């Protein structure tokens, strides 16, 4: 790729960042005079890509790069997926897919994913208002150049019926260690469905909740405008933040010594481990972040340690940095080495 793949938007300042690692808004859009991707053939998809590259050349002039997914290696595509810049599906069957990606690597436009266009923007912390203003501006610029598939009755038309309407999905990545440790997580997250929200793991649909990270997003896009969807999600997230902080206070009052021991053991393991699997490393890093946020670690560590390493220690990132043919045992050694070096430099 033209630039370094690894982004750094996740280490920027953001509201409520002790609990909310990041926010994301995604829009699905289709073009009126083209068959949807699930109905179009190879030649039609390739023609659409060529047309969009011409029509949206202003993006290139304003700090975006354009990529044919087939020109990227499997590892490069997987790195983009690990960074949440493309979906898993967009990293596969790459011959008929493309990507516009801004230089800061926090705003991407997938071409020929499930829909003709998938716009998404990410930012550290709880930042829905800022994200909506920026992605709405880009969407308006695209709307001036393209003719969207839109119905006065149903709103934006999409390949999946669940996205019809605003075709907006807003989500946050929450770090909820105290709710997990206190055993309250199932009750708290189980209630979000009543508000038209859904909970997924760190890697999206079908994934597990590694490192006590949970992705919470709206399910309903029809019958509400964008502001109503974002405001409802924001309101529920504020309640979850309050419950997580309440659980932290409870655990610190009642299990201080056990928590401190757990956190410092995690720190010790990461300082001296020779090899680490990804899930294991994330578990210990999650505990260290909890220790930092709860003032359980006297040693001065980078407050953004967890955010800095969250993507960097994933398999595809390590293969991209140290060699695409790196064996799994070597990956685990490199992962431990990176963490060990950073911690021992502090």
């Amino acid at each position: 790729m033209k630039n370094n793949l690894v982004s750094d938007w996740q280490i920027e300042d953001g509201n409520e960042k002790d609990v909310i690692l990041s926010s994301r808004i995604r829009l699905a859009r289709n073009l009126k005079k083209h068959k949807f991707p699930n109905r179009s053939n190879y030649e039609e998809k390739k023609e659409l890509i060529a047309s969009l590259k011409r029509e949206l050349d202003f993006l290139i002039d304003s700090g975006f790069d354009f990529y044919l997914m087939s020109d990227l290696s499997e590892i490069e595509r997987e790195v983009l997926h690990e960074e949440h810049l493309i979906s898993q599906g967009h990293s596969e069957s790459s011959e008929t897919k493309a990507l516009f990606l801004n230089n800061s690597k926090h705003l991407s436009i997938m071409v020929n994913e499930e829909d003709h266009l998938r716009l998404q923007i990410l930012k550290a912390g709880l930042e829905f208002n800022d994200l909506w203003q920026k992605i709405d501006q880009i969407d308006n610029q695209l709307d001036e150049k393209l003719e969207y598939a839109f119905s006065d009755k149903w709103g934006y038309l999409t390949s999946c019926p669940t996205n019809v309407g605003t075709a907006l999905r807003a989500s946050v990545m929450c770090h909820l260690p105290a709710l997990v440790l206190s055993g309250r997580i199932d009750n708290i997250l189980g209630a979000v469905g009543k508000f038209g929200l859904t909970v997924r793991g760190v890697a999206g649909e079908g994934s597990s909740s590694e490192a006590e990270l949970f992705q919470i997003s709206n399910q309903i896009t029809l019958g509400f405008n964008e502001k109503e969807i974002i405001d409802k999600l924001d309101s529920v997230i504020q309640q979850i933040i309050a419950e997580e902080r309440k659980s932290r206070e409870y655990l610190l009052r009642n299990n201080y010594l056990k928590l401190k021991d757990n956190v410092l053991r995690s720190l010790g393991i990461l300082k001296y481990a020779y090899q680490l699997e990804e899930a294991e490393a994330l578990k210990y890093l999650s505990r260290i972040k909890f220790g930092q946020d709860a003032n359980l670690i006297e040693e001065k560590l980078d407050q953004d340690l967890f955010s800095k390493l969250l993507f960097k220690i994933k398999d595809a990132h390590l293969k991209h940095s140290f060699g695409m043919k790196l064996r799994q045992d070597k990956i685990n050694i490199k992962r431990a080495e990176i963490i060990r070096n950073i911690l021992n430099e502090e």
Side-chain angles (χ1 to χ4, degrees):
M1 295 186 75
K2 298 174 186 177
N3 301 310
N4 186 350
L5 278 170
V6 181
S7 63
D8 59 6
W9 60 263
Q10 66 273 10
I11 64 173
E12 296 174 354
D13 292 334
N15 291 321
E16 320 292 1
K17 203 179 172 186
D18 60 315
V19 179
I20 307 302
L21 261 65
S22 63
S23 307
R24 175 171 62 172
I25 291 181
R26 190 205 73 196
L27 301 176
R29 298 289 186 260
N30 286 286
L31 306 185
K32 186 175 181 180
K33 296 180 180 179
H34 294 264
K35 294 177 184 177
F36 284 8
N38 61 346
R39 301 297 300 274
S40 58
N41 60 35
Y42 177 89
E43 292 301 328
E44 289 167 332
K45 288 185 174 74
K46 295 291 283 187
E47 182 182 327
L48 177 69
I49 290 174
S51 173
L52 286 173
K53 187 179 180 182
R54 290 192 303 270
E55 292 289 334
L56 304 182
D57 58 351
F58 73 92
L59 290 173
I60 308 300
D61 295 333
S62 58
F64 281 76
D65 289 317
F66 175 81
Y67 303 102
L68 293 172
M69 299 307 293
S70 58
D71 287 345
L72 304 179
S73 69
E74 181 182 352
I75 295 301
E76 287 175 324
R77 297 196 301 270
E78 190 56 35
V79 166
L80 290 169
H81 175 238
E82 286 181 348
E83 297 255 345
H84 302 292
L85 292 167
I86 64 172
S87 65
Q88 181 65 57
H90 207 62
S91 69
E92 302 164 348
S93 304
S94 59
E95 288 297 320
T96 56
K97 296 174 181 176
L99 177 72
F100 291 92
L101 179 63
N102 75 333
N103 291 340
S104 298
K105 296 180 178 58
H106 76 294
L107 202 166
S108 64
I109 303 173
M110 292 178 278
V111 179
N112 281 337
E113 201 243 19
E114 186 176 277
D115 297 288
H116 290 142
L117 297 168
R118 286 282 179 98
L119 296 70
Q120 62 172 21
I121 186 169
L122 305 103
K123 190 172 183 181
L126 185 61
E127 298 285 351
F128 283 138
N129 289 333
D130 184 55
L131 289 180
W132 170 243
Q133 289 177 10
K134 290 177 179 176
I135 201 168
D136 186 42
Q137 181 181 13
I138 292 289
D139 186 40
N140 288 337
Q141 290 176 313
L142 267 59
D143 195 18
E144 292 176 3
K145 299 279 188 177
L146 309 170
E147 190 175 3
Y148 285 152
F150 184 85
S151 163
D152 290 337
K153 180 178 181 180
W154 299 110
Y156 292 100
L157 303 180
T158 57
S159 294
C160 180
T162 59
N163 290 323
V164 168
T166 61
L168 178 149
R169 289 294 175 100
S171 65
V172 291
M173 191 68 71
C174 307
H175 185 232
L176 306 175
L179 286 173
V180 172
L181 289 171
S182 64
R184 301 180 61 217
I185 191 68
D186 290 341
N187 288 338
I188 296 295
L189 295 185
V192 305
K194 299 175 183 178
F195 300 95
L197 307 180
T198 187
V199 181
R200 298 185 174 97
V202 62
E205 190 170 357
S207 63
S208 60
S209 54
E210 291 180 339
E212 294 147 345
L213 292 174
F214 300 86
Q215 190 177 158
I216 303 175
S217 65
N218 65 296
Q219 277 185 307
I220 300 171
T221 63
L222 184 64
F224 300 91
N225 63 36
E226 291 87 352
K227 185 178 186 304
E228 289 170 332
I229 291 172
I230 291 171
D231 286 350
K232 178 184 285 189
L233 178 58
D234 186 81
S235 175
V236 174
I237 295 304
Q238 292 289 354
Q239 295 178 53
I240 291 174
I241 291 171
E243 292 299 326
E244 168 65 19
R245 289 176 178 161
K246 188 188 301 182
S247 288
R248 292 181 186 187
E249 292 173 2
Y250 174 83
L251 290 171
L252 288 169
R253 282 198 310 270
N254 294 278
N255 294 283
Y256 180 83
L257 293 178
K258 185 176 180 180
L259 282 176
K260 190 175 181 72
D261 181 68
N262 187 292
V263 166
L264 294 181
R265 283 174 185 267
S266 298
L267 180 58
I269 289 171
L270 292 186
K271 275 190 169 186
Y272 296 103
Y274 181 69
Q275 60 178 358
L276 289 164
E277 294 183 355
E278 183 179 309
E280 182 184 20
L282 288 172
K283 179 182 75 172
Y284 293 133
L285 285 168
S286 169
R287 202 48 46 86
I288 290 172
K289 174 172 167 53
F290 174 52
Q292 289 177 290
D293 293 334
N295 295 316
L296 291 168
I297 300 176
E298 296 175 7
E299 185 177 344
K300 185 174 178 58
L301 299 175
D302 186 340
Q303 198 62 34
D304 286 313
L305 178 70
F306 187 67
S307 296
K308 282 183 177 179
L309 290 173
L310 182 59
F311 298 149
K312 191 175 182 180
I313 62 169
K314 288 182 173 291
D315 282 2
H317 277 71
L318 292 169
K319 287 181 180 180
H320 183 261
S321 297
F322 297 103
M324 292 172 58
K325 296 183 179 180
L326 209 60
R327 298 197 318 266
Q328 190 60 53
D329 58 337
K330 297 295 185 182
I331 291 173
N332 294 342
I333 290 171
K334 284 295 183 182
R335 180 181 293 115
E337 180 184 324
I338 287 173
I339 297 172
R340 197 169 61 241
N341 289 343
I342 289 177
L343 287 174
N344 289 323
E345 285 174 1
E346 298 290 343

